[in-house]
């Protein structure tokens, strides 16, 4: 429980920094975790989506299946009827909102007039005899955590062969706008090795969509898989 709590706090802090720096960044960053027992070949990558009975007519899920299907197609997967599919693909997804409070420094000047900053005050926050006392004001920011899970099983045996999750935290309040980044992050360099945890950064184009630039990934040296063509792995 303590580990989960500290992990959540770290994720929220990272999200807060993302909000603060959103004006100077052009990437969506996701943490990806994969568990794998994959041994399929390109010739056998036929699949069908599977979903619970109460989700058969869920339009939101249909939209996300289409997004994930586009990414699967880049890895030689071909969608077919469930009765002819070798693999079944199931999705899980969600969004959670939190408020993060960050202490911002405020400089206090002992002079009777307010602190105007340069060029009116030649010392800035530093007086002629040293720094002015520093106070802090708490500012709160909304943080949204998005999650996508992709689970692949063999239809005939029911054996799970691949399970990957992608998680991102930022100021984006819409899951549907975050989903293309989650899907690309989750399936980048498919298939990853078992137990791989890594960070994927996807460039954003000037119109707010996914850039055509290659995703940048980072993983621990012991767990990093060989990179697929077009992807840059940074240790």
């Amino acid at each position: 429980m303590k580990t989960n709590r500290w992990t959540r706090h770290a994720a929220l802090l990272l999200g807060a920094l993302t909000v603060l720096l959103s004006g100077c960044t052009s990437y969506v960053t996701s943490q990806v975790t994969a568990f794998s027992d994959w041994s399929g070949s390109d010739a056998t990558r036929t699949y069908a989506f599977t979903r619970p009975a109460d989700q058969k007519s869920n339009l939101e899920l249909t939209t996300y299946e289409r997004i994930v299907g586009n990414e699967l197609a880049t890895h030689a997967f071909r969608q077919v009827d469930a009765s002819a599919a070798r693999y079944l693909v199931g999705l899980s997804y969600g969004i959670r909102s939190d408020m993060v409070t960050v202490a911002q420094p405020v400089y206090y000047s002992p002079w009777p007039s307010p602190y105007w900053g340069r060029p009116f005050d030649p010392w800035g926050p530093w007086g002629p005899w040293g720094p002015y006392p520093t106070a802090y004001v708490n500012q709160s920011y909304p943080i949204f955590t998005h999650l996508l899970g992709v689970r692949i099983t063999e239809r005939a045996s029911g054996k799970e062969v691949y399970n990957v999750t992608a998680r991102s935290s930022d100021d984006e309040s819409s899951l549907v706008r975050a989903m293309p980044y989650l899907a690309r992050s989750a399936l980048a360099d498919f298939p990853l090795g078992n137990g791989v945890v890594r960070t994927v950064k996807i460039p954003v184009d000037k119109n707010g969509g996914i850039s055509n630039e290659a995703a940048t990934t980072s993983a621990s040296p012991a767990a990093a898989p060989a990179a697929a063509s077009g992807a840059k792995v940074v240790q």
Side-chain angles (χ1 to χ4, degrees), residues 87-122:
Y87 300 106
L88 296 178
V89 178
L91 305 184
S92 58
Y93 54 90
I95 184 171
R96 185 187 67 211
S97 63
D98 291 283
M99 295 295 295
V100 174
T101 301
V102 179
Q104 300 288 349
V106 177
Y107 297 102
Y108 166 74
S109 171
W111 305 109
S113 60
Y115 167 61
W116 297 105
R118 290 185 173 89
F120 305 102
D121 184 346

Side-chain angles (χ1 to χ4, degrees), residues 22-39:
S22 59
C24 59
T25 184
S26 58
Y27 292 86
V28 172
T29 302
S30 301
Q31 184 182 60
V32 175
T33 305
F35 297 95
S36 176
D37 188 21
W38 184 263
S39 59

